[in-house]
Amino acid sequence: MTALDGAVVLVAGASGGPGVRVAAMLEDAGAVVVRAARRPDSLSGPGAYLADLRAPSGGAALVRSALDEHGRLDGVVVAAGVVAFGAAKDLDDDTLDELVATNAPGPIRLLRGAHPAPAPSAAAGRKPFVVTISGVVSEAPTVGMAAYSASKAALAAFVSAAGREYRRDGIRVLDARPGHTDTGLATRAVAGPAPAVGAARGPGAGAERIVRAIVDGEKDLPGSAFSS
């Protein structure tokens, strides 16, 4: 992979799942990574921020913190998310609210808040980017994960449309839709036990594919991009 040459990249959801691995690999590729998560026990060290993207002002405040510290923002990776399992008929309101707030409005508000920040980066020829991870369920909604699939599909739809607007401002938008990956997210489900869905890919492979796409300037990562 080509070095990212000191690009300042905000990774929201850098405490577990794909986010922690993507953050580490971005640093290996030469980026300056600003980590953010909502649990205080999951972050440490300089450049790490607590941020609850479910709060209306959470995303904008996080962007301001990154800009205050580094003076610019060249990339944003939205890896925050929660999952729940169970039959659609058994879905309760608390689970639904948690899934939707974390997986759709939270990331969308962060993307909205981050939109103006990379403009100077684009003007300077640094090729800024935004990455979301909606997952393969946004392409193929899955039985036993109906509400989770819907929340991720909402994010993917927003990115598909908004990405065209962002590109006019010189910001590349990339949505990643990896298949079943052993990131540990299923063990932290907000409801229900994980169903048997076949063998999972190793967590490092998906993160490596996402970072390679960032470095190589790719514009979309459908589920099929993770099969090789």
Side-chain angles (χ1 to χ4, degrees):
M1 287 186 287
T2 304
L4 288 173
D5 298 326
V8 178
V9 183
L10 169 62
V11 180
S15 61
V20 66
R21 292 175 176 84
V22 168
M25 291 180 181
L26 285 170
E27 285 182 328
D28 289 343
V32 176
V33 175
V34 181
R35 290 171 168 81
R38 74 183 188 188
R39 291 187 293 111
D41 60 341
S42 62
L43 289 171
S44 62
Y49 295 96
L50 291 175
D52 189 346
L53 299 186
R54 297 170 302 177
S57 61
L62 180 55
V63 171
R64 284 196 301 271
S65 296
L67 289 173
D68 287 346
E69 181 175 356
H70 297 282
R72 74 177 212 243
L73 191 59
D74 305 308
V76 177
V77 178
V78 187
V82 294
V83 67
F85 306 105
K89 66 181 179 62
D90 297 326
L91 178 67
D92 63 56
D93 285 342
D94 287 344
T95 300
L96 177 60
D97 290 346
E98 176 75 0
L99 282 172
V100 173
T102 305
N103 295 341
I108 288 171
R109 289 190 185 106
L110 176 56
L111 297 182
R112 179 188 64 189
H115 178 256
S121 178
R126 287 193 290 264
K127 300 181 179 179
F129 60 86
V130 170
V131 177
T132 54
I133 306 175
S134 68
V136 74
V137 294
S138 67
E139 296 179 347
T142 303
V143 172
M145 293 184 277
Y148 175 66
S149 299
S151 66
K152 287 294 192 175
L155 175 61
F158 177 86
V159 170
S160 178
R164 301 169 199 170
E165 303 172 16
Y166 284 45
R167 283 191 286 273
R168 289 198 291 267
D169 297 323
I171 304 166
R172 175 168 54 103
V173 178
L174 168 69
D175 183 50
R177 301 184 292 283
H180 181 38
T181 306
D182 183 14
T183 63
L185 183 63
T187 66
R188 303 186 297 275
V190 297
V197 291
R201 297 181 178 90
E208 189 279 335
R209 184 66 184 88
I210 292 170
V211 174
R212 177 154 48 93
I214 291 171
V215 171
D216 291 348
E218 294 183 58
K219 298 178 181 178
D220 191 40
L221 272 182
S224 58
F226 293 85
S227 60
S228 57

